[in-house]
Amino acid sequence: MTDHRNGGAAVVETLAAHGVDTIFGIPGTHNLELYRHFGGHGVRAITPRHEQGAGYAAEAYARVSGRPGVVVTTSGPGLTNAMTAAATAYAESQPVLLLSSGMPTGTEGRDLGQLHEAKNASGAMDQLVSWSRRVHTADEAASAVTDAFSGFTGRRPRPVHIEIPVDVLEQAWAGGPRVEAAVAPPTADRDAVRRAADLLASAESPLIIAGGGAVDAQAELTALAEAVGAPVATTVNGKGTVDEAHPLSVGASIRLRVLQKAAADSDALLVIGTELGDSDLWEGHIRGRAVIRCDIDPAQLDKNCPADHALLGDAATTLTALLAALPAKPAGGEQRAADLRTACRDEAAVDAGPYAEINAAVRAALPPDAALAGDSSQVTYFGSVHYFDLPAPRRFCYCPGFATLGYGLPAGLGAAIGRPDAPVAVLLGDGALMFSVQELTTLVEQGLSVPVIVVDSGGYREIQDQEAARGIPPIGVQLRTPDLAALAIAMGANGARTTSTADLTELVGSALDADGPTLIHFDIR
Ligand SMILES: Cc1ncc(C[n+]2csc(CCOP(=O)(O)OP(=O)(O)O)c2C)c(N)n1
């Protein structure tokens, strides 16, 4: 077999047939028959410096581009390193395909002491993602890739894993790649749509909450909100689905009690594409006097808030059907939205500390089409969520559900690669940065002019606050920050330090034109 048309080719040709032109991964002894084929099929292999970073980069790539992100790891530690990112993609409903090599066929579970051997790698992954499959032939490997991609259509997207044993990667393959037609999403029942439309049309205080499932329905959602005169709040993953400068937008505000109270008072609460999870509600609740829920996933229709009207279907199609069923009605709702927005801003300001001003300074330096990656840092959830307005969805990379520290920097990498025509910035805490600081080198290698703004509170401020609230003196939270600007320069990036928000705007502006990434150490200690 001189052309090496093997199991590795089966996988890579099938990836390429599905339009994959970029993977994030790390080569190792076992997965080289995948790497052999990438170049020949126009697939760019990006090498982050840890598989967890590869996973976050792929997740953010999917978030900003709407295209599935692909991660490639070697067997054993390469895969287990990617597990946290896989679980993140599951919690955040992002289409990520993880491909790993595996132990040779016939050695499963035998504990033979082989290189990278784990008890049951695919079984472990199956507990974290939508499905994991260990394949037995090259044909089966190609089919599993096809199944992964068709599973990303027509339903709630979630990650999957395919384990390809090393001998299967080397096995001769005479097949060809197969691409299936996209799966049609369910369509909401017409009578249910009419009843929901009647409710919205007659409501005096309609309110809309949109989540990550609505991000591809910006035009439809905006038109519906205008037609019924309803303010629109989003979850974190739905941020920007209605332009946050639109008079009916009340921002990504569903954690705020004033918004939750407005929902409880609403006589027609329309909830689209969100599970209304506690990670978005911060121990609060969303209820409405009458609730319409619209989701592509039947399991979501009653989760955390029972529906009076359940519309099973994808967001854009269902919103279009609702709009068509609405009687003409004078628009309005702007004043209610303005009052609610002011109340949300007042409540958000209680926790905002310096983070409102920091976000405003960063926002001022970036064009409207910029994307932002954040982390489980106060500057993100007290700051960017509320003070970094977005005109459109798919521009905010932050994982509020799994809430994994170390996400932001590799997410910035994935976002910059997934949206090459628009600037991307990273804004995160010092604690978050230190989980994945090595990915600065990857940004350097990829020549990406990404400003990385690190808000330094000298450790884990959030956890220190929580300790204080419980009467526990600071323990394990006051940490030494390295000289971050020097570290950046040592890695081949640019580095700067400031304590002034005016300087911050200028530094972020120059970072956009710099050669490679710029780390800006913003000291609030
Ligand atoms: C992987 C992981 N480990 C631990 C935590 C718990 N945790 C949540 S916030 C936080 C502190 C984050 O520090 P930093 O990014 O500097 O933000 P700050 O709280 O100082 O604003 C920690 C340790 C987590 N979310 N993820």
PDB file of all heavy atoms in Angstrom, residues 55 101-102 189 339 348 394 425:
ATOM      1  N   GLY A  55      -9.122  21.328  23.103  1.00  0.00           N
ATOM      2  CA  GLY A  55     -10.568  21.155  23.272  1.00  0.00           C
ATOM      3  C   GLY A  55     -11.290  22.489  23.411  1.00  0.00           C
ATOM      4  O   GLY A  55     -12.334  22.718  22.787  1.00  0.00           O
ATOM      5  N   SER A 101      -6.721   8.071  19.010  1.00  0.00           N
ATOM      6  CA  SER A 101      -6.289   6.704  18.756  1.00  0.00           C
ATOM      7  C   SER A 101      -6.622   5.877  19.995  1.00  0.00           C
ATOM      8  O   SER A 101      -7.048   6.427  21.023  1.00  0.00           O
ATOM      9  CB  SER A 101      -4.784   6.684  18.474  1.00  0.00           C
ATOM     10  OG  SER A 101      -4.101   7.452  19.454  1.00  0.00           O
ATOM     11  N   GLY A 102      -6.436   4.569  19.901  1.00  0.00           N
ATOM     12  CA  GLY A 102      -6.722   3.705  21.048  1.00  0.00           C
ATOM     13  C   GLY A 102      -5.872   2.451  20.989  1.00  0.00           C
ATOM     14  O   GLY A 102      -5.169   2.191  19.999  1.00  0.00           O
ATOM     15  N   ASP A 189     -45.941  22.015  16.291  1.00  0.00           N
ATOM     16  CA  ASP A 189     -47.338  21.782  15.944  1.00  0.00           C
ATOM     17  C   ASP A 189     -48.044  23.112  15.616  1.00  0.00           C
ATOM     18  O   ASP A 189     -47.928  24.089  16.351  1.00  0.00           O
ATOM     19  CB  ASP A 189     -47.992  21.101  17.170  1.00  0.00           C
ATOM     20  CG  ASP A 189     -49.454  20.872  16.958  1.00  0.00           C
ATOM     21  OD1 ASP A 189     -49.781  19.987  16.173  1.00  0.00           O
ATOM     22  OD2 ASP A 189     -50.263  21.614  17.554  1.00  0.00           O
ATOM     23  N   ASP A 339     -37.077  50.734  31.116  1.00  0.00           N
ATOM     24  CA  ASP A 339     -37.160  50.693  32.581  1.00  0.00           C
ATOM     25  C   ASP A 339     -36.473  49.437  33.125  1.00  0.00           C
ATOM     26  O   ASP A 339     -35.733  49.491  34.110  1.00  0.00           O
ATOM     27  CB  ASP A 339     -38.628  50.712  33.041  1.00  0.00           C
ATOM     28  CG  ASP A 339     -39.309  52.037  32.698  1.00  0.00           C
ATOM     29  OD1 ASP A 339     -38.586  53.007  32.369  1.00  0.00           O
ATOM     30  OD2 ASP A 339     -40.560  52.092  32.730  1.00  0.00           O
ATOM     31  N   ALA A 348     -26.803  45.027  38.385  1.00  0.00           N
ATOM     32  CA  ALA A 348     -25.484  44.529  37.977  1.00  0.00           C
ATOM     33  C   ALA A 348     -24.373  45.380  38.595  1.00  0.00           C
ATOM     34  O   ALA A 348     -23.308  44.880  38.954  1.00  0.00           O
ATOM     35  CB  ALA A 348     -25.362  44.521  36.457  1.00  0.00           C
ATOM     36  N   ARG A 394     -22.794  34.807  18.670  1.00  0.00           N
ATOM     37  CA  ARG A 394     -21.587  34.071  18.255  1.00  0.00           C
ATOM     38  C   ARG A 394     -20.329  34.930  18.375  1.00  0.00           C
ATOM     39  O   ARG A 394     -19.424  34.832  17.567  1.00  0.00           O
ATOM     40  CB  ARG A 394     -21.730  33.523  16.822  1.00  0.00           C
ATOM     41  CG  ARG A 394     -22.806  32.448  16.670  1.00  0.00           C
ATOM     42  CD  ARG A 394     -22.635  31.668  15.385  1.00  0.00           C
ATOM     43  NE  ARG A 394     -23.581  30.558  15.260  1.00  0.00           N
ATOM     44  CZ  ARG A 394     -23.469  29.375  15.866  1.00  0.00           C
ATOM     45  NH1 ARG A 394     -22.459  29.141  16.664  1.00  0.00           N
ATOM     46  NH2 ARG A 394     -24.366  28.436  15.694  1.00  0.00           N
ATOM     47  N   ALA A 425     -10.450  39.495  21.203  1.00  0.00           N
ATOM     48  CA  ALA A 425      -9.683  39.842  22.408  1.00  0.00           C
ATOM     49  C   ALA A 425      -9.996  38.831  23.498  1.00  0.00           C
ATOM     50  O   ALA A 425     -11.050  38.194  23.481  1.00  0.00           O
ATOM     51  CB  ALA A 425     -10.050  41.249  22.873  1.00  0.00           C
TER      52      ALA A 425
END
